Amino acid sequence: MVINLQFTYHLEVSNLQSRDKMLKHVMLSKLKIISLVTAVSILSIGSFAHSAPTDPSINTTQFDLPVDQSIHYMTRQTWTTRDGLPHNSINAIAQDKQGFLWFGTWQGPVRFNGKDFEIYDDIRITGLPDIGIFSIALNPCDDSIYVAGARGGLSRFHDNRWLPLEPAPPFVNEVEIDAHCTIWVSSSEQGLLTYENNERVSQFTTENGLPSNNVYQARIDDKSNLWAATSAGLAVKPAGSTRFKVIEGIPADRIRKLFLDTDGQLLIGTGNGVYQQQPNTFEFKQLLPNINYTISAINRTRDGALWLGTYRNGVLRLYNGELQQVTTANGLPNNHVLDILEDQEGSVWVSTHGGLMQFRRSLFTTMQSHNGLAGDFVRSVYEYKNQLYVGTSNGISTVNESRLATFNPPHPLANQSVLSFADYQGQLAIGTYTNGLFIWDGERVTDHLTTDNVLKSEEVRAIATSEQYGVFLGTPIGVTQLVKTANGWQSKLITTRDGLQNNYITTLRVIGDELWVASVSGVSVIDLAASSDHSFKINKLDFSGLNDAQLTFQISLKGPYVFLATDRGLIYHHQKNDTWGIINRDQGLPLDNYMSMAFDGDANIWLGSNRGALFIAHDVFDDFLNGTIDKLTYQRFTEVDGMGSSQINSGSPAMIRSSTGRVWMSTARGVSSIAPSDLKSMVQVAPPAVISSVTADGERVTYGGHIPADTQRLVVNYAGLGYLMADHIEYQVRLVGFDDNWLARGSMTTSEYTSLPANDYVFQVRAAYPGGAWSEPVSFAFTRSEHPWQQSWFWLSIIFALGLAATILVRARIRFLNNQRAQLELMVAEKTKELKGLARQDSLTQLGNRRAFDEQLQYEFKRCERSEQPLSLAIIDVDHFKSINDRFLHVIGDQVLIELSALLSNMLRDIDYIARWGGEEFALLMPETTAKEALQAAERIRQRIEDTSYQHLADELAVTVSIGVASSEHYPNHSALLVAADKALYKAKQSGRNRTELA
């Protein structure tokens, strides 16, 4: 539950309308003041400040757009052991200068890059006596990380290496490092210890005036006073003094937290709430007298908000005098908060005994029923008279700048299940699910049409209006045309008997003199100008060439284009050129089914689906429509970005652009909105990129190092240290010395290179949020060594030796010169043949190597092209091969590769060709084999390998493979075929391994 200082007014309003407006205003103002004072004093529970309604049937809520100043509107994300944490108790949080987040857990220190957790639980590496970490701190002097544990161990992480320090007494409550690089260690038994230059130099105990040797935390303020929080109260050693003195006026029991506020004053977390230091004194006053929670964490964020962690009551946030609270009742993993940190991007991290939660500014603003919205299931959204109307299954709400209003009984619009909206002659037409059509002028209902008077169906799913032709209603039984005459409303029903595709209508749109009618079976266009009272000129659109689309959810106009959001993609029609096209998976999008669409204030396109909102940049969409590009790039946004739900509903309309340029979306859990400025501001600062590791054939490579000449595969892992939209970070890489151009990698955090030629290289990577600036590139330099026979000295030595031998032989046995020369030439020829054989054969498995395979691939591809036969390619990768090497040693790993080579060779046809691709990978050519046949063959291989026993090599050894398959039926050359098979293999590995995927 979210707790705010809510200004709640429960007014008796039965006779309010008869009073003078001025009297109302005065009385309401007085009531607001009284309510404000009352709310502040009793900390009443709620979500918003409600203003006194001028209409008893309209409930209003005040807010500001965007409403990210409230904890309630922040996007929350949670991590637990299910997401990779080694333990759900996160005792401490820190962030280093690179941007990595560090967590102290009972299963070791953890480093987090936004996606992956790196766990340091090997005490042989960290040098700690145990893995239980209770405190973690950043040293501002050298950007190193210090961790401390339950058994008193201290260790320093710097430049990817751990350095243990002289242990402190158990138990270490906290490590703090001041601006002078002095390390303060608060212990549970032997007071306060200090370290300088990583060596212990002094100690403070009760002999120095501390009230207890159980010290929880220490701080030095800007006046050089040393403060100590102990189990027996708070003590201070004034600047220049040698002894501590106990502070009176605060609880003389456990002081759990010290925090130096932005004004230099100290905040104290006690078992009885928060105490604030008074200026220029050692006196304290309780900050929130009515909050008597035990305070376990304190932080002040850059926006001025004060965050408080409690022992049993979750997390509190005090902002602009408003106190908000999040507990397990509304998503916090556990009510015992252990630490709070604001990261470099402004996100707030809250650690608990049940996991980790991130609070960050939402990309989307979402309003739901607990904010005052009529209902969570939103079907339609519309703008009328500069006011947003939100139609839900439980009624209608309006949004106007800073006010959300909901129609409540006895208002006639209260509790209506709304399906559609449209403008008609300056009024708003509202279509409902079970109660017909309402006409609303902004203040009152001017008409209510039902089956009792003029309608043919109470269910109004869509509305289209025309000044000339009247109002058209889409219903489950056809299209109802309404025309208002002097005798009232007249209606006419248009159905399949008149030529419609289907009577169940999903959406309508009037375009010029045409009515576009979408149904569950296709789209029909009614020529209104050519139709009469008794006959209709209807054209049924044929979408059989457009992925056989039938179900259309929304029809939109933009420039010369008509856009249709359908179940098979986004159809677009250029009216002037009379051309049609469709956008779906074939054009690079992840889905085919789209429920709605809109253009924002920057003309970027937004597509609504049941799996989130897709964003396509304006320039990209224009280039696609102009034919400059044939594939679209996009971003998909879901609940983790602040949407109420990934399910965007269908409605009439379900997505619109308001006059402010914001896009509003109807979802299954509220109405969500976003503006172009929201997206731009979120990506202003690029996430810094880091290179996590570089390995050559599984062996780690150091910066500036050499990789062996026979290296088959180089793998670089990297990450962007951004936490606002970690799932949307994009990467570009380049390998200077191989290709100087930046290569887009999308969201992939791994780059692989095979069979690099000998050279000096610099790998570079940079990161960006979607549409944002690129970070400064980070680099990793390395050199790939040459084979001896690739170096000039080798051949010079050979030539010199041969020449010397020839000279000796000539001088010694002139008569045998011809025989010796012939023998020498024979030796050279045999050696050359042997070297060529070695260059084409893998020494371990005796299969062909990568070079031989590449030649065979080119040959087979050309042969299959000539014979017009398909050629299929499979790349086979041994799952978790590094784990096999690590667990059973490399000799077992080599034997596994040898046995797999024999098994694969025995399973092949005479025309097939198998080679060792490199490392733990094999490549298989299957001439005259279709994609379907190749997939079946690859699956038989995968199953055969899985079923084979390897117990004779090592106990508990099991081997599985992942296989990527591609066929020349779909790819124009051998290079494209190879890339496709490699991508299919990557998909198989990403989908869980031990599987076969077809490109």
Side-chain angles (χ1 to χ4, degrees):
M1 181 171 55
V2 176
I3 297 182
N4 296 338
L5 295 183
Q6 179 185 3
F7 314 142
T8 307
Y9 311 100
H10 300 283
L11 304 177
E12 294 294 330
V13 295
S14 59
N15 60 350
L16 189 61
Q17 295 177 342
S18 64
R19 300 180 183 179
D20 183 83
K21 290 185 178 180
M22 182 60 71
L23 179 59
K24 278 198 302 184
H25 178 76
V26 172
M27 291 189 66
L28 289 175
S29 299
K30 291 181 179 179
L31 284 170
K32 287 181 180 180
I33 296 172
I34 294 171
S35 299
L36 172 63
V37 173
T38 304
V40 171
S41 63
I42 66 173
L43 299 175
S44 61
I45 297 176
S47 298
F48 286 98
H50 290 270
S51 65
T54 57
D55 185 333
S57 62
I58 300 178
N59 185 47
T60 62
T61 299
Q62 301 297 328
F63 61 88
D64 293 320
L65 271 178
V67 286
D68 54 14
Q69 76 277 6
S70 170
I71 195 173
H72 179 74
Y73 281 97
M74 292 180 178
T75 297
R76 306 176 198 170
Q77 191 169 357
T78 302
W79 289 265
T80 66
T81 51
R82 294 183 177 181
D83 307 294
L85 279 171
H87 198 281
N88 282 333
S89 291
I90 313 297
N91 298 315
I93 317 173
Q95 186 175 29
D96 62 26
K97 295 297 183 181
Q98 282 185 289
F100 284 105
L101 287 173
W102 287 82
F103 308 124
T105 79
W106 291 114
Q107 291 297 309
V110 177
R111 190 170 72 166
F112 183 47
N113 63 16
K115 286 189 174 181
D116 302 311
F117 296 95
E118 188 173 5
I119 304 167
Y120 297 95
D121 58 355
D122 189 340
I123 59 176
R124 293 167 295 184
I125 295 176
T126 62
L128 294 167
D130 69 332
I131 61 175
I133 303 301
F134 199 72
S135 181
I136 191 163
L138 171 68
N139 188 336
C141 301
D142 60 6
D143 300 334
S144 57
I145 288 289
Y146 285 74
V147 300
R151 290 172 56 179
L154 288 169
S155 193
R156 171 178 178 261
F157 182 86
H158 185 64
D159 196 22
N160 286 320
R161 289 177 295 182
W162 288 95
L163 174 67
L165 280 64
E166 179 184 354
F171 175 104
V172 174
N173 290 313
E174 196 206 42
V175 174
E176 175 67 20
I177 306 167
D178 64 25
H180 301 291
C181 308
T182 300
I183 303 169
W184 299 86
V185 178
S186 301
S187 76
S188 62
E189 297 179 358
Q190 296 188 27
L192 182 62
L193 298 85
T194 62
Y195 288 69
E196 293 181 0
N197 296 322
N198 297 318
E199 295 183 358
R200 192 194 300 183
V201 294
S202 62
Q203 182 176 8
F204 299 94
T205 64
T206 52
E207 295 180 359
N208 304 102
L210 286 175
S212 169
N213 281 335
N214 188 356
V215 180
Y216 292 104
Q217 201 172 9
R219 289 289 184 274
I220 297 180
D221 64 23
D222 54 7
K223 297 181 177 59
S224 299
N225 301 309
L226 173 60
W227 297 84
T230 78
S231 60
L234 177 67
V236 61
K237 187 176 78 66
S241 175
T242 60
R243 291 189 60 80
F244 285 86
K245 69 175 185 177
V246 178
I247 300 298
E248 304 293 338
I250 60 175
D253 53 15
R254 178 177 178 181
I255 305 298
R256 297 173 179 263
K257 202 68 179 176
L258 303 179
F259 180 77
L260 280 174
D261 211 344
T262 52
D263 59 2
Q265 306 303 312
L266 203 64
L267 293 176
I268 310 298
T270 76
N272 193 35
V274 182
Y275 286 77
Q276 185 177 42
Q277 184 183 8
Q278 301 305 294
N280 302 317
T281 71
F282 289 160
E283 297 179 357
F284 289 79
K285 182 179 179 181
Q286 194 166 6
L287 180 62
L288 299 168
N290 293 297
I291 294 295
N292 295 321
Y293 301 153
T294 297
I295 303 300
S296 55
I298 305 174
N299 205 326
R300 176 83 67 181
T301 52
R302 289 190 288 274
D303 60 2
L306 180 64
W307 291 70
L308 304 174
T310 71
Y311 177 55
R312 293 180 177 175
N313 303 94
V315 63
L316 307 174
R317 180 176 181 262
L318 182 63
Y319 183 77
N320 286 344
E322 184 179 17
L323 189 66
Q324 305 149 4
Q325 183 174 11
V326 177
T327 67
T328 53
N330 47 34
L332 196 69
N334 188 278
N335 280 335
H336 185 178
V337 175
L338 297 167
D339 201 3
I340 300 174
L341 172 82
E342 182 185 28
D343 69 20
Q344 296 166 4
E345 295 178 309
S347 295
V348 176
W349 300 81
V350 176
S351 65
T352 75
H353 272 310
L356 179 71
M357 176 170 278
Q358 177 198 24
F359 293 84
R360 67 178 187 269
R361 184 165 60 89
S362 294
L363 184 59
F364 287 78
T365 295
T366 297
M367 297 178 184
Q368 298 174 323
S369 57
H370 56 79
N371 309 128
L373 201 67
D376 279 338
F377 197 87
V378 180
R379 290 195 178 98
S380 184
V381 60
Y382 196 77
E383 188 173 31
Y384 169 68
K385 291 185 177 180
N386 297 320
Q387 193 162 239
L388 192 78
Y389 281 73
V390 182
T392 79
S393 59
N394 294 329
I396 303 174
S397 295
T398 61
V399 180
N400 181 12
E401 294 182 351
S402 61
R403 186 177 67 88
L404 186 152
T406 297
F407 298 100
N408 293 328
H411 199 285
L413 294 180
N415 298 330
Q416 298 296 334
S417 181
V418 176
L419 300 176
S420 53
F421 293 107
D423 265 301
Y424 180 64
Q425 296 182 348
Q427 299 188 83
L428 181 64
I430 305 171
T432 69
Y433 187 52
T434 59
N435 205 7
L437 181 73
F438 290 86
I439 307 297
W440 168 258
D441 67 2
E443 295 184 358
R444 63 188 182 91
V445 173
T446 59
D447 265 312
H448 182 200
L449 309 181
T450 67
T451 53
D452 292 338
N453 42 48
V454 68
L455 295 189
K456 308 302 181 183
S457 170
E458 299 283 9
E459 184 177 338
V460 180
R461 304 196 62 83
I463 308 172
T465 64
S466 167
E467 292 293 328
Q468 182 177 357
Y469 301 107
V471 179
F472 298 91
L473 307 181
T475 76
I477 62 171
V479 177
T480 298
Q481 182 182 16
L482 296 174
V483 178
K484 194 168 187 179
T485 68
N487 296 323
W489 291 96
Q490 304 296 319
S491 68
K492 184 188 306 178
L493 185 64
I494 308 171
T495 68
T496 53
R497 288 179 297 178
D498 301 296
L500 293 182
Q501 303 258 30
N502 190 288
N503 285 335
Y504 198 96
I505 309 303
T506 55
T507 190
L508 301 169
R509 185 72 185 243
V510 172
I511 303 175
D513 289 328
E514 295 179 336
L515 175 65
W516 289 52
V517 181
S519 71
V520 296
S521 300
V523 177
S524 307
V525 178
I526 303 176
D527 188 336
L528 298 174
S531 299
S532 66
D533 290 342
H534 304 290
S535 65
F536 298 91
K537 184 177 181 181
I538 299 178
N539 176 32
K540 297 180 180 180
L541 300 182
D542 181 10
F543 290 160
S544 59
L546 298 172
N547 206 18
D548 198 26
Q550 291 191 6
L551 187 56
T552 297
F553 299 102
Q554 185 168 330
I555 304 172
S556 302
L557 289 174
K558 182 68 173 178
Y561 287 96
V562 178
F563 294 96
L564 291 82
T566 79
D567 61 340
R568 298 296 176 87
L570 180 67
I571 294 176
Y572 57 96
H573 170 55
H574 194 290
Q575 299 180 86
K576 183 177 179 180
N577 299 336
D578 194 25
T579 56
W580 293 83
I582 190 168
I583 303 170
N584 50 32
R585 283 187 171 95
D586 295 337
Q587 286 71 42
L589 297 186
L591 311 168
D592 287 341
N593 195 321
Y594 297 100
M595 320 297 289
S596 55
M597 68 161 295
F599 290 88
D600 65 23
D602 286 348
N604 305 306
I605 188 172
W606 291 84
L607 299 176
S609 76
N610 283 165
R611 292 162 63 184
L614 267 64
F615 166 87
I616 304 172
H618 164 73
D619 293 343
V620 173
F621 197 62
D622 266 5
D623 288 343
F624 176 83
L625 293 178
N626 295 332
T628 307
I629 59 175
D630 57 5
K631 294 290 184 181
L632 289 164
T633 57
Y634 66 92
Q635 295 296 325
R636 181 162 60 183
F637 300 99
T638 62
E639 290 94 340
V640 298
D641 303 297
M643 293 183 63
S645 169
S646 294
Q647 178 183 324
I648 298 176
N649 292 324
S650 61
S652 184
M655 181 187 293
I656 66 163
R657 169 196 167 183
S658 69
S659 56
T660 63
R662 296 184 74 88
V663 172
W664 295 82
M665 307 171 188
S666 306
T667 83
R669 294 191 62 191
V671 60
S672 297
S673 72
I674 186 172
S677 57
D678 298 339
L679 191 57
K680 290 176 182 176
S681 63
M682 192 72 80
V683 301
Q684 282 179 350
V685 179
V690 295
I691 297 174
S692 306
S693 66
V694 180
T695 57
D697 289 344
E699 299 296 326
R700 198 174 187 96
V701 181
T702 59
Y703 185 92
H706 288 253
I707 63 174
D710 59 353
T711 296
Q712 295 296 313
R713 172 171 292 183
L714 183 83
V715 180
V716 185
N717 295 302
Y718 44 84
L721 300 182
Y723 306 95
L724 292 174
M725 294 188 291
D727 293 333
H728 301 302
I729 295 176
E730 301 172 342
Y731 300 93
Q732 287 184 346
V733 302
R734 66 181 176 187
L735 187 60
V736 180
F738 180 77
D739 186 359
D740 292 341
N741 297 319
W742 287 104
L743 174 66
R745 297 292 292 166
S747 60
M748 294 182 63
T749 57
T750 298
S751 289
E752 299 185 5
Y753 300 90
T754 57
S755 300
L756 285 173
N759 202 354
D760 295 327
Y761 296 101
V762 176
F763 177 85
Q764 293 184 318
V765 60
R766 60 186 184 181
Y769 287 125
W774 291 102
S775 65
E776 288 296 321
V778 291
S779 303
F780 187 92
F782 64 95
T783 299
R784 187 186 185 279
S785 303
E786 294 178 319
H787 289 284
W789 58 84
Q790 294 175 315
Q791 303 179 43
S792 59
W793 66 263
F794 176 83
W795 293 107
L796 289 174
S797 300
I798 292 289
I799 294 171
F800 178 77
L802 293 175
L804 180 60
T807 300
I808 295 173
L809 289 173
V810 167
R811 290 179 179 179
R813 291 179 180 268
I814 193 67
R815 61 181 177 273
F816 297 114
L817 179 61
N818 292 334
N819 291 337
Q820 292 296 322
R821 181 181 300 162
Q823 184 178 0
L824 180 61
E825 290 175 352
L826 180 60
M827 291 174 61
V828 171
E830 290 177 350
K831 188 65 176 178
T832 301
K833 182 178 180 180
E834 180 182 352
L835 292 176
K836 288 183 177 179
L838 289 174
R840 295 174 52 81
Q841 186 179 56
D842 177 57
S843 60
L844 178 65
T845 63
Q846 306 306 310
L847 297 177
N849 62 9
R850 174 67 181 274
R851 177 183 295 178
F853 180 83
D854 288 344
E855 293 174 359
Q856 189 71 18
L857 172 61
Q858 295 182 49
Y859 168 77
E860 289 291 349
F861 200 97
K862 291 178 180 178
R863 188 178 68 81
C864 287
E865 282 185 325
R866 290 194 302 270
S867 62
E868 296 184 352
Q869 291 291 325
L871 172 65
S872 292
L873 167 64
I875 299 179
I876 305 168
D877 183 89
V878 181
D879 295 330
H880 305 295
F881 188 72
K882 184 178 183 302
S883 298
I884 294 174
N885 282 336
D886 292 343
R887 186 177 179 186
F888 302 106
L889 301 180
H890 285 270
V891 65
I892 298 300
D894 289 346
Q895 194 60 39
V896 167
L897 295 178
I898 292 171
E899 293 201 10
L900 286 180
S901 302
L903 186 149
L904 291 170
S905 298
N906 291 334
M907 292 186 69
L908 302 185
R909 304 172 300 177
D910 291 339
I911 63 173
D912 295 336
Y913 182 81
I914 185 73
R916 185 180 179 190
W917 179 260
E920 66 271 24
E921 287 189 352
F922 298 85
L924 170 61
L925 282 176
M926 293 176 279
E928 303 175 11
T929 306
T930 65
K932 181 178 179 181
E933 293 168 342
L935 183 64
Q936 293 172 348
E939 181 59 21
R940 287 196 298 271
I941 290 172
R942 184 201 64 77
Q943 190 63 52
R944 174 71 176 278
I945 293 172
E946 183 183 9
D947 294 340
T948 300
S949 173
Y950 304 90
Q951 299 300 309
H952 60 285
L953 297 180
D955 292 336
E956 301 181 359
L957 173 60
V959 179
T960 63
V961 297
S962 300
I963 306 178
V965 180
S967 173
S968 64
E969 297 169 286
H970 308 298
Y971 299 97
N973 53 58
H974 71 278
S975 297
L977 180 64
L978 191 62
V979 171
D982 202 36
K983 287 183 177 179
L985 172 62
Y986 181 80
K987 181 178 179 182
K989 292 194 292 183
Q990 290 296 105
S991 301
R993 295 185 171 87
N994 192 18
R995 60 188 292 123
T996 304
E997 291 287 346
L998 177 65

